[in-house]
Structures are given as structure tokens and as C-alpha cells.
Amino acid sequence: MLDTLNAMPAVLAEADVRHALALTARVAAATLVLHLLAALALGAALARPAWPGRGVLDALVTLPLVFPPIATGFALLLLFGRRGPLGGWLEGFGVEIIFSFWGVLIASFIAGLPLVVKPVQAALEAASARLSEAARTLGKNELQIFFRVLLPNVRGALAAGLVLGLGRSLGEVGITLMLGGNVMGRTNTVSLEIYNAVSGGDFQRAAVLSLLLGAFTLLLFWGLRRLGAV
């Protein structure tokens, strides 16, 4: 441990490491915003009783939780690649997903999505029927019911889901390798830098980066304890 701490200044001074830290911070911030929006929209949609397409949407949201990350990444590569249906269309607007920041962001978003949406869905399903009916008797419309009645009652589940989703996204490797490509100085996140260090036999470097990532994960765990989620 002492050797790892002593090596930290030299490792953090490396250009590739500084880029990885900056990229990871940018991706984490953007992922948090996207997860918040997705949790509210998808959680509310899936909490509603049976409607056409609900089962398909539920399966797509849950899939990254049970499907191998490398296989998920390959499926997304086929979708967003230059010859893919979405990738080819986006390229017409000058937007490249593969081997870019956007590819890393999509990987981060997909990896943590089920951990954010499912807790909110469960909380809304538990609270919506009773509270919504009471609010309707008071003359509230559906928008007012969601934001003024339901959302305050599920904010704990929302916060816990966001923390869990962020933790999962920070450790993502498989999907990111497929979409981001692990390009040094461009798409290498902290997790990929750890992977690169271990692959190259630089265990000191891997230990320093693992310590940093582990410390942040413990901070997330402390946040969950404060929320009473664990």
C-alpha cells in the first residue's frame, strides 16, 4: 500500500492518465444527467399497467443486467457502426459514434441503465395507485400527480439508483472496448487504463488507478448508507 501511495504522484503526472481521469469525469457527469432523465421517463412508463410494447421495453431495459457486456457491446457496434442502421444515418450528419466520446458515453449509459430504472419503476408501482387516486380526488392532473405527489415519494429510490448506475458505469470495460475502442489519448477511461496496465505488466500503475477508483466507489457506498439503501 505504501509503495502504491508513493507511486501515485508519478502515475498521475502521466498524460494518458490525466486524459483518462478527465474523460471519465466528463462521461460520469453526462451519464448521471442521462440516467436521471431515463429513470423518470422509463420508470414512469414501465410502472403503468399493461400497454402495447411494455414487455419489449422492459426486456430492453433489463437486458444489460443479464447479458454479457462484450456481447452487448458487439450488438451496439452493429447498430452504431458505419454500416449499421443508426451509425450510417448519424454519419450523414457528421456524427461518428464508434471510437469517439459518444461511443464511451453510450457504453456508460447502457451499462448502468437497469440499475437506475428498475428501482424507480418498483417504487412508482408501490406508490402510484394509492397516492394517485387520492390526488385525483383533489382535482390534480396527471402531470401534477407525477411531479408533486409521486416523485417526492420515490426520490430515495431515484437517488440510490443513480448512485448504483454511476458505480456500474465507472467500472465498465466490455461495452466500452467495443464502442470506444480503447484509443490512447481519446477513448481510454480509468477502467480501461487499469486493463491496459495489467495487460502490459505495469502492476504499480494498475494499483494506483485501482486505488483511486476503489476510493471513489467507497464514497458512493457511503452515500448509499446515508440514503439508507444498504
Side-chain angles (χ1 to χ4, degrees):
M1 175 64 77
L2 185 58
D3 291 341
T4 301
L5 292 175
N6 290 335
M8 188 172 292
V11 172
L12 294 179
E14 297 178 19
D16 288 337
V17 172
R18 292 200 306 270
H19 173 270
L21 290 170
L23 175 62
T24 300
R26 288 170 55 206
V27 170
T31 299
L32 199 61
V33 174
L34 292 176
H35 276 169
L36 174 61
L37 297 175
L40 295 177
L42 296 177
L46 292 174
R48 291 184 173 274
W51 48 269
R54 182 186 181 279
V56 175
L57 179 61
D58 195 16
L60 289 175
V61 169
T62 310
L63 196 61
L65 198 60
V66 296
F67 208 55
I70 200 72
T72 302
F74 180 68
L76 292 171
L77 179 63
L78 294 178
L79 183 65
F80 288 104
R82 291 184 175 181
R83 296 183 180 179
L86 282 181
W89 178 73
L90 289 171
E91 192 174 6
F93 296 93
V95 179
E96 292 188 11
I97 300 297
I98 307 303
F99 305 152
S100 71
F101 168 82
W102 302 111
V104 178
L105 178 58
I106 290 173
S108 176
F109 172 74
I110 294 296
L113 183 64
L115 295 175
V116 180
V117 174
K118 301 307 287 186
V120 174
Q121 176 190 348
L124 285 172
E125 286 174 342
S128 59
R130 174 174 49 86
L131 295 177
S132 297
E133 187 61 31
R136 288 190 188 95
T137 62
L138 297 174
K140 303 297 182 181
N141 59 43
E142 294 302 316
L143 201 60
Q144 290 173 322
I145 291 172
F146 181 76
F147 284 102
R148 296 185 182 181
V149 179
L150 297 179
L151 190 56
N153 282 277
V154 301
R155 59 187 178 185
L158 175 60
L162 289 173
V163 172
L164 288 171
L166 179 60
R168 172 64 183 87
S169 298
L170 287 173
E172 168 52 38
V173 172
I175 305 175
T176 309
L177 275 173
M178 283 291 180
L179 294 184
N182 194 16
V183 181
M184 300 297 289
R186 185 176 179 183
T187 61
N188 55 314
T189 62
V190 172
S191 292
L192 287 178
E193 277 299 299
I194 296 172
Y195 172 82
N196 293 334
V198 173
S199 298
D202 192 348
F203 295 104
Q204 187 74 273
R205 191 165 183 258
V208 169
L209 295 175
S210 296
L211 181 62
L212 288 174
L213 202 58
F216 187 74
T217 303
L218 289 176
L219 183 62
L220 292 179
F221 178 76
W222 176 82
L224 282 178
R225 292 294 299 269
R226 295 282 294 179
L227 290 169
V230 294

